[in-house]
Amino acid sequence: MTDSPILLTPGPLTTHPATRQAMLRDWGSRDAGFIALTAEMRARLLQVAQGAGSHVAVPLQGSGTFVVEATLATLLPPEGKLLVLVNGAYGERMVSIARRMGRRAEALRWREDEPVTPGLVASALQADPGITHVALVHCETTTGILNPLPEIAAAVAAAGRPFLLDAMSSFGALPIDLRTTPVTALMASSNKCLEGVPGLGFALIETAALAAAEGRSPSTSLDLHAQWRGFEKDGQWRFTPPVQVVAALVEALRRLEAEGGPPARLARYRRNLETLTTGMARLGFELYLDPAVQAPVIATFRLPQAPALAFRPFYDALAERGFLIYPGKLTEAETFRIGCIGALDETDFRRLLAAIEDVIGA
Ligand SMILES: *Cc1c(COP(=O)(O)O)cnc(C)c1O
């Protein structure tokens, strides 16, 4: 079916052949056909989280970090102060992005294996009236931990602060309903649970919040208010769009709908995770997180100590067999990660487990 390796990574990830096929033509960026494709993409992105009517979808060229930076730049006023709820590297990155652009930002930190707790968020917001915005990473891809989104969003809304959500590795699979969960801006990208190819990020932003942000971004290319106005004016992108990436994402979004939407995708990812963790336990690999807080997105395993297994040779041996795994991103433990997302099912994970068994000689 494919010459590509199986990517067991959080993105870029394994895509369906039809999604790659959608890239095999050229598009004029100012042509009616591509304008229609962009409009379909923006409408479908809102539909994934039931945001039509309250939010607008603003796509942006680049990887996920570009859209995080653009969203913070557009929504945080110079006198604002961001509180980031941190339990991993992507939360830390938001703190440094905000500070780098001259915005005040503070971190409220949890251990990397502990979910963010809504009660502490509520008391932090009560203690510091100077905090104007709150940011959270829904699924911290550092470990694969799932933070309790509805409870945290409710605590932030009760304190009257706008809420910025990095849903990069959850959007499209884990439930996010913008009708019932108060989220001012949600950020995600083409190449994770949506199963598109990399090259595009997007934010779903409350219309009123975005309308109020004119001229605020200190950056031209990362100004999401101006980007939005461009789409509203004539349906076109301000600067050269990644046309093939857009075409692939539209195909991937149609495939998401055909699969049965986020609930069906989540069920497939859960089966992938279940197959993976059961098999890995049998082979003697310990899951880093408590299964109760593990999202079916990416699993972190400890590298066995006795007999010692080094990441690099393990990686190379699996790569030779057609499987690309992912290094760990933790400071305090020797780990590696295996993604459960992408156009993969249990069969692929059973084949992976057979390859791992072969490599470790179990
Ligand atoms: C992937 C990811 C990002 C963005 O990373 P890029 O490498 O810039 O695409 C941001 N936050 C989270 C939680 C992610 O998983």
Side-chain angles (χ1 to χ4, degrees), residues 10 63-66 68 90 93 137 139-141 166 168-169 189 191-192:
S63 84
T65 305
F66 289 60
V68 172
Y90 291 100
R93 190 180 289 174
V137 179
C139 169
E140 242 304 350
T141 322
D166 174 346
M168 209 69 62
S169 65
S189 71
N191 61 266
K192 287 184 175 169

Side-chain angles (χ1 to χ4, degrees), residues 60-225:
L60 180 75
Q61 301 90 331
S63 84
T65 305
F66 289 60
V67 88
V68 172
E69 185 150 358
T71 304
L72 297 185
T74 304
L75 295 183
L76 291 179
E79 69 283 4
K81 181 174 172 188
L82 178 67
L83 178 70
V84 187
L85 312 173
V86 177
N87 58 348
Y90 291 100
E92 296 291 357
R93 190 180 289 174
M94 282 202 276
V95 177
S96 66
I97 287 173
R99 287 185 180 157
R100 185 73 186 261
M101 69 175 82
R103 300 295 186 257
R104 286 184 299 160
E106 272 181 20
L108 187 58
R109 292 190 174 84
W110 286 259
R111 289 165 45 116
E112 288 180 323
D113 59 356
E114 264 178 13
V116 168
T117 42
L120 284 180
V121 176
S123 40
L125 292 177
Q126 193 163 25
D128 186 353
I131 294 165
T132 58
H133 293 71
V134 180
L136 173 77
V137 179
H138 187 193
C139 169
E140 242 304 350
T141 322
T142 310
T143 54
I145 197 168
L146 183 64
N147 284 314
L149 171 61
E151 292 79 3
I152 297 165
V156 175
R161 310 310 211 284
F163 182 49
L164 315 179
L165 181 68
D166 174 346
M168 209 69 62
S169 65
S170 57
F171 187 81
L174 291 157
I176 304 174
D177 188 335
L178 294 174
R179 292 170 307 187
T180 51
T181 308
V183 178
T184 311
L186 176 157
M187 302 158 263
S189 71
S190 52
N191 61 266
K192 287 184 175 169
C193 300
L194 294 181
E195 301 185 358
V197 304
L200 194 149
F202 55 88
L204 309 183
I205 307 180
E206 270 176 5
T207 315
L210 187 55
E214 182 169 3
R216 219 183 254 166
S217 175
S219 162
T220 300
S221 57
L222 301 182
D223 181 346
L224 293 186
H225 179 275

Side-chain angles (χ1 to χ4, degrees), residues 265-285:
R265 183 148 298 182
L266 181 64
R268 174 161 59 83
Y269 291 170
R270 276 198 207 289
R271 289 193 298 274
N272 290 350
L273 178 73
E274 175 65 26
T275 307
L276 175 69
T277 52
T278 309
M280 289 297 272
R282 187 172 51 78
L283 295 175
F285 289 90

